[in-house]
Amino acid sequence: MEKDRSINMMQEHPVIRCFNISKWYDNICALNNINLDINAGEFIFFTGPSGAGKSTLLKLLYLDERASQGEIVMNGMNIARIPRDRMPYVRRTLGVVFQDFKLIPTRTVYDNVALVLEAAGVKKNIIRQRVLKVLRITGIVRKINAFPPSLSGGEQQRVAFARAVVGEPSIIIADEPTGSLDYDSARVIFNLLLDYNRKGVTILVASHNLHLINETCKAVNGKNPTDGIIRERHLRIVNGVVTESG
């Protein structure tokens, strides 16, 4: 019963709320009437077969696409209704990590990460401090002047992760962040996600890597197992429908 009361307390203050969300591509239903609350500090795993709707849902959350039906409220703002010229301001509260890195090949590691802060109008001296900080955290500072094509896949994903967190987001969205990495490199990325979750950042991850998910679930719930608060949830998406996985 104590555990249930803790869960209910967390659910009173969700940072993301999805109301009757559906997404159609012509006559194909990618998401079907999704209702979902995500609470501050949770570590959410989305799993399911390819084409089930995991990436589609995450794209709606980081404003890469719009829902065909329904509303999404993020930090009190209805993002389904905001005009396109306001989207960059909303995206600054998010950090997004992609499977294919999406780094600019002709810009150095430093420049790829700094670009986020430059776009936000941050002063140059502050940019340098924050970029160096996240490059140290991600263990890639030694490659600060390298270009992405010269890096391994694991190194590129560390740079992509640094870019995602340099803006100090309250929510990190990672879409198959380890899909193209070997186990050791994938473990590094999951550990970084776990470290930021321990700082209070809400984490949303779509992944097929059930072994790493299970390991991370144990670590997330091991932060303070005596208070009975569930910090991780495993949600499975099949045919555009979200269900809680035990």
Side-chain angles (χ1 to χ4, degrees):
M1 293 299 294
E2 182 63 32
K3 188 173 186 178
D4 291 339
R5 284 198 296 273
S6 298
I7 293 170
N8 289 335
M9 287 174 64
M10 289 180 70
Q11 289 178 340
E12 290 177 358
H13 303 286
V15 292
I16 298 174
R17 308 197 75 182
C18 297
F19 299 97
N20 305 312
I21 292 296
S22 294
K23 178 65 177 179
W24 291 80
Y25 297 100
D26 296 325
N27 62 341
I28 298 174
C29 181
L31 294 172
N32 186 15
N33 199 38
I34 303 296
N35 288 282
L36 176 65
D37 281 1
I38 296 172
N39 303 292
E42 280 195 298
F43 202 129
I44 306 291
F45 297 96
F46 294 101
T47 63
S50 297
K54 302 184 301 297
S55 293
T56 299
L57 178 57
L58 295 188
K59 285 179 180 179
L60 298 184
L61 296 179
Y62 63 77
L63 284 77
D64 190 55
E65 297 188 11
R66 288 197 184 249
S68 303
Q69 172 186 305
E71 296 184 344
I72 300 173
V73 177
M74 185 178 297
N75 292 322
M77 181 181 298
N78 189 338
I79 65 173
R81 294 183 178 179
I82 63 171
R84 293 193 178 277
D85 61 354
R86 296 293 300 173
M87 287 184 179
Y89 299 96
V90 178
R91 289 193 181 110
R92 288 173 191 168
T93 67
L94 308 173
V96 184
V97 184
F98 303 94
Q99 178 178 352
D100 58 355
F101 321 133
K102 296 193 184 301
L103 301 174
I104 302 172
T106 57
R107 304 286 292 269
T108 65
V109 165
Y110 179 91
D111 290 339
N112 267 278
V113 178
L115 189 61
V116 174
L117 300 179
E118 291 170 357
V122 178
K123 294 181 179 180
K124 285 188 176 182
N125 62 321
I126 302 299
I127 291 175
R128 182 166 181 80
Q129 292 173 16
R130 286 169 63 174
V131 170
L132 289 175
K133 178 181 177 181
V134 296
L135 290 180
R136 291 190 184 103
I137 289 172
T138 55
I140 201 69
V141 70
R142 69 190 184 283
K143 301 284 187 176
I144 191 169
N145 294 315
F147 292 88
S150 70
L151 305 178
S152 69
E155 289 172 334
Q156 289 189 65
Q157 194 60 294
R158 291 192 199 196
V159 178
F161 190 95
R163 179 188 59 197
V165 301
V166 74
E168 300 178 348
S170 60
I171 300 168
I172 295 175
I173 299 174
D175 189 4
E176 295 286 356
T178 63
S180 59
L181 305 183
D182 60 42
Y183 177 83
D184 289 339
S185 297
R187 180 72 269 171
V188 168
I189 298 302
F190 267 81
N191 283 340
L192 288 168
L193 289 167
L194 182 58
D195 288 344
Y196 273 84
N197 181 245
R198 285 172 171 151
K199 298 174 183 178
V201 178
T202 305
I203 309 291
L204 313 180
V205 181
S207 178
H208 286 97
N209 197 326
L210 294 179
H211 180 66
L212 279 176
I213 287 174
N214 290 333
E215 284 187 358
T216 306
C217 285
K218 292 176 182 177
V220 172
N221 286 320
K223 285 188 295 186
N224 186 2
T226 61
D227 62 13
I229 298 176
I230 293 177
R231 295 173 181 78
E232 63 81 19
R233 278 193 290 160
H234 180 182
L235 304 177
R236 184 168 171 80
I237 303 182
V238 179
N239 296 325
V241 177
V242 176
T243 58
E244 194 101 16
S245 180

